Amino acid sequence: MTRGWDLVVVGTGFGGSMVALAAVRAGLRVLLIERGRWVDRDDSAWDPRAILIDRKYRSASPFETPSYPFGRTRFYPDEAVGGKSVFYGAASFRLREADFRLRERFPDVCPESVDWPIGYAELAPFYDEAERLLGVAGVPGLDPTEPPRATGYASTPPPFSAPARRVADAATALGLHPFPIPLAINFTSTDGRRPCVQCLTCDLFPCKIGAKNDLAVTVLPAAIAGGATVMHSTVVVRLRLEGKRVAGVECVDVTTGERFFEPCRLCVVAAGAIPSAALLLASGLGAVEPNGAWVGRCLMRHCSGIVIGIFGSRTNPERVFHKQIALTDFYFGHATGRGPAGPWGMIQGLQVPPPEYIAEEGGFPLGSVGARTADRMVFLLCIAQDLPDPANRVEIDAGRADPYGAPIPRVFHRYTRRDRLARSALYREGARILRRAGALIRVRKPINTFSHAVGTCRFGHDPAKSALDPWCRFFGVPNLFVVDASFLPSSGGVNPSLTIAANALRVGRHIVAEWGR
Ligand SMILES: Cc1cc2nc3c(=O)[nH]c(=O)nc-3n(C[C@H](O)[C@H](O)[C@H](O)COP(=O)(O)OP(=O)(O)OC[C@H]3O[C@@H](n4cnc5c(N)ncnc54)[C@H](O)[C@@H]3O)c2cc1C
Ligand code: SF4
């Protein structure tokens, strides 16, 4: 089947959607292939049982991690058109200027890091554009480590709700500088869409009314209006190489099981940090010398955890959205030089999950107790920057396949001692804030997911040390780009989506300049 695509993009997350929009606007014929489907914007979208317990959007293709000392654990991510943006918390942060020079700044702490081949100034205009496309609401000038910005935000988030106000007052009393999280949420509705009703089912859920500015309601409709085609419910199982070029992609239709081939002039892999590495390995790109050795290596995922404060009375009597507050006072460590050395990260408010989910997750009896006290809780998310380590990696198990015949990814990941120390340091500061706010009990809970997975195909100048060149082109395969969370050489201490989006717009512009009609 030959439809003559200029560009085939695998995946419709932040990387894939942004590249596709840039390309289609320049007149390229673009096909986006996505294994998930469009989510239903009906009552199920805000139903904790449907989304979190019955897992309506659960992928049929797992990845595995070893369970120490024996066995394996299988993770089944959610999948949908728009990627994780559909389920995400919409926190939209820029990296800090010094994040681009980690090795230079902390040479003893970060020996395995490579500095970024670009600096903040090169990404800044694309951060502006990504914020515009994603309708980010924020307040500039309050974040103490905020990098310079040429523009303000398009809109302002609503005032702090009771839980966020409680944390803000306590943090301010301790001499810290809390500020509102920049959020990709439509609070003011200038484009005819329904504005946010500030519900309690945002992070982890699709937005039933489409007020979260996920890619399926913002960038993808714009790309489709510009002429792009989205082929959903279709899994790319292999890139077909002819000589040193990608000739096209081998696909499976999830509904019918039909196998087919889509030829292309240019291929962008944007399937997410773990699936992209697995797809490249399954396509033989690990054997390309010398950069193939870096495919799958240096997986990072942030060393994150939650400090849960339990108070004597209800913390959110109005029962409204409260993922609102952030602190970067400890981003590069403690002002007094108190350890650990190297970057720490940030603390931010997190929505308390629904009681039925707490009960399910926590098991008996802890989950039941947690569910009954959920309305007295405040959650603070600690995002510690984890450092790259080549031993943390994605491999494929060629002997075992998923339902579509693709090899199952195996993920090996261990935090370094310093990663854990950075998280502990943030826990300590988060607990101090919650104590000051009046929390009677403070509990620490590590996050064990791969929701912030990055780094498996890092970009750089040197093919002996990175998989991709500074334009995210695979060294040695001129018509192949990898443009998702995989490209990051370091994880930074902020949520990754805005950086993935900005970089994809940057690469999109380069692709258009080189390949446009
Ligand atoms: C619950 C949750 C909350 C989060 N909250 C935030 C937040 O508040 N702020 C923030 O910045 N980040 C947040 N993140 C992280 C953020 O969502 C991710 O970093 C980001 O979405 C990654 O973008 P991506 O383009 O790399 O990949 P993805 O968003 O994962 O997109 C990849 C797409 O490719 C598809 N795909 C994969 N394999 C194939 C294949 N073989 N064939 C066809 N399609 C394929 C996938 O289905 C997916 O749609 C959150 C993540 C989760 C899970
Ligand atoms: S808080 Fe707003 S954006 Fe989030 S799910 Fe609810 S209505 Fe949608």
Side-chain angles (χ1 to χ4, degrees):
M1 176 185 323
T2 302
R3 302 186 210 185
W5 305 110
D6 293 317
L7 171 60
V8 165
V9 180
V10 184
T12 56
F14 285 96
S17 299
M18 294 288 178
V19 169
L21 183 65
V24 85
R25 281 184 170 167
L28 269 68
R29 288 166 305 195
V30 178
L31 171 67
L32 292 120
I33 305 180
E34 167 58 53
R35 58 180 302 144
R37 64 177 177 91
W38 296 92
V39 291
D40 301 322
R41 308 275 173 181
D42 59 12
D43 286 350
S44 69
W46 284 346
D47 178 352
R49 171 151 292 281
I51 302 300
L52 303 180
I53 299 170
D54 296 343
R55 301 282 317 275
K56 181 170 178 181
Y57 298 103
R58 189 179 103 138
S59 174
S61 301
F63 61 89
E64 291 182 347
T65 60
S67 303
Y68 294 102
F70 306 111
R72 305 184 180 106
T73 305
R74 286 192 160 190
F75 287 79
Y76 292 86
D78 286 330
E79 63 187 26
V81 174
K84 295 192 197 80
S85 79
V86 171
F87 308 97
Y88 87 146
S92 303
F93 284 96
R94 299 178 180 212
L95 287 173
R96 322 283 107 169
E97 275 182 296
D99 282 326
F100 295 77
R101 292 173 279 106
L102 204 61
R103 188 152 183 252
E104 181 190 311
R105 184 166 174 162
F106 300 107
D108 300 331
V109 185
C110 310
E112 293 293 348
S113 295
V114 283
D115 284 335
W116 287 48
I118 58 171
Y120 173 75
E122 280 156 280
L123 211 50
F126 300 101
Y127 273 129
D128 293 344
E129 191 180 348
E131 285 175 353
R132 250 192 333 274
L133 288 168
L134 293 166
V136 179
V139 183
L142 300 180
D143 170 354
T145 61
E146 183 181 30
R149 42 184 309 127
T151 57
Y153 290 100
S155 62
T156 309
F160 287 148
S161 55
R165 168 59 43 210
R166 195 189 274 255
V167 171
D169 290 346
T172 307
L174 290 170
L176 305 174
H177 304 88
F179 62 93
I181 298 180
L183 290 163
I185 289 181
N186 180 16
F187 289 111
T188 46
S189 185
T190 49
D191 59 1
R193 284 163 48 214
R194 279 186 69 185
C196 172
V197 295
Q198 298 190 48
C199 71
L200 287 173
T201 42
C202 195
D203 207 339
L204 301 170
F205 294 85
C207 179
K208 175 181 163 185
I209 59 171
K212 186 178 350 183
N213 296 333
D214 65 57
L215 298 159
V217 298
T218 55
V219 175
L220 287 168
I224 292 167
T229 299
V230 175
M231 187 188 282
H232 64 86
S233 308
T234 303
V235 180
V236 174
V237 289
R238 211 166 141 257
L239 313 182
R240 190 182 294 171
L241 279 115
E242 282 173 8
K244 292 193 167 182
R245 305 181 74 78
V246 177
V249 295
E250 295 175 10
C251 306
V252 179
D253 182 318
V254 168
T255 318
T256 62
E258 181 202 352
R259 291 180 176 268
F260 58 95
F261 176 69
E262 284 290 348
C264 60
R265 217 158 55 98
L266 179 62
C267 180
V268 166
V269 171
I274 293 171
S276 283
L279 180 60
L280 295 181
L281 291 170
S283 308
L285 286 149
V288 175
E289 289 191 352
N291 55 312
W294 286 98
V295 175
R297 298 274 162 181
C298 293
L299 168 69
M300 292 160 278
R301 54 169 169 155
H302 284 148
C303 191
S304 300
I306 305 168
V307 188
I308 303 170
I310 303 173
F311 292 75
S313 58
R314 286 165 68 203
T315 50
N316 189 8
E318 287 152 350
R319 298 189 48 73
V320 288
F321 177 81
H322 52 277
K323 182 184 165 123
Q324 289 181 301
I325 190 161
L327 291 111
T328 59
D329 296 82
F330 308 106
Y331 196 86
F332 291 113
H334 200 279
T336 63
R338 195 183 328 156
W344 291 9
M346 77 183 307
I347 298 174
Q348 67 188 224
L350 188 66
Q351 213 147 310
V352 177
E356 48 271 65
Y357 181 59
I358 296 179
E360 182 86 9
E361 271 283 282
F364 185 81
L366 274 184
S368 322
V369 176
R372 261 185 254 125
T373 48
D375 63 352
R376 288 160 189 246
M377 291 179 182
V378 170
F379 276 30
L380 286 183
L381 170 65
C382 300
I383 301 179
Q385 174 158 185
D386 53 338
L387 302 179
D389 177 352
N392 289 334
R393 65 193 188 278
V394 178
E395 292 182 351
I396 50 170
D397 187 342
R400 287 177 331 121
D402 72 4
Y404 312 107
I408 291 183
R410 292 197 302 165
V411 174
F412 299 85
H413 185 278
R414 282 189 176 191
Y415 291 116
T416 65
R417 184 165 174 272
R418 201 221 71 99
D419 298 339
R420 292 181 194 279
L421 287 174
R423 177 171 63 190
S424 296
L426 289 173
Y427 275 154
R428 192 178 58 232
E429 300 303 334
R432 204 160 66 93
I433 296 168
L434 288 175
R435 190 183 322 119
R436 180 69 179 233
L440 306 174
I441 301 169
R442 293 156 305 276
V443 182
R444 301 169 178 201
K445 188 177 183 325
I447 292 180
N448 202 22
T449 69
F450 287 83
S451 56
H452 286 192
V454 300
T456 51
C457 288
R458 69 185 183 186
F459 77 157
H461 288 295
D462 183 355
K465 291 188 178 160
S466 34
L468 311 176
D469 79 5
W471 292 110
C472 293
R473 185 201 307 261
F474 196 86
F475 281 114
V477 185
N479 71 338
L480 173 62
F481 291 76
V482 182
V483 195
D484 54 17
S486 314
F487 86 99
L488 277 89
S490 55
S491 66
V494 298
N495 324 53
S497 65
L498 196 70
T499 300
I500 300 165
N503 179 61
L505 290 168
R506 181 186 74 93
V507 174
R509 178 163 312 172
H510 173 76
I511 286 176
V512 164
E514 196 175 322
W515 296 74
R517 287 165 181 278

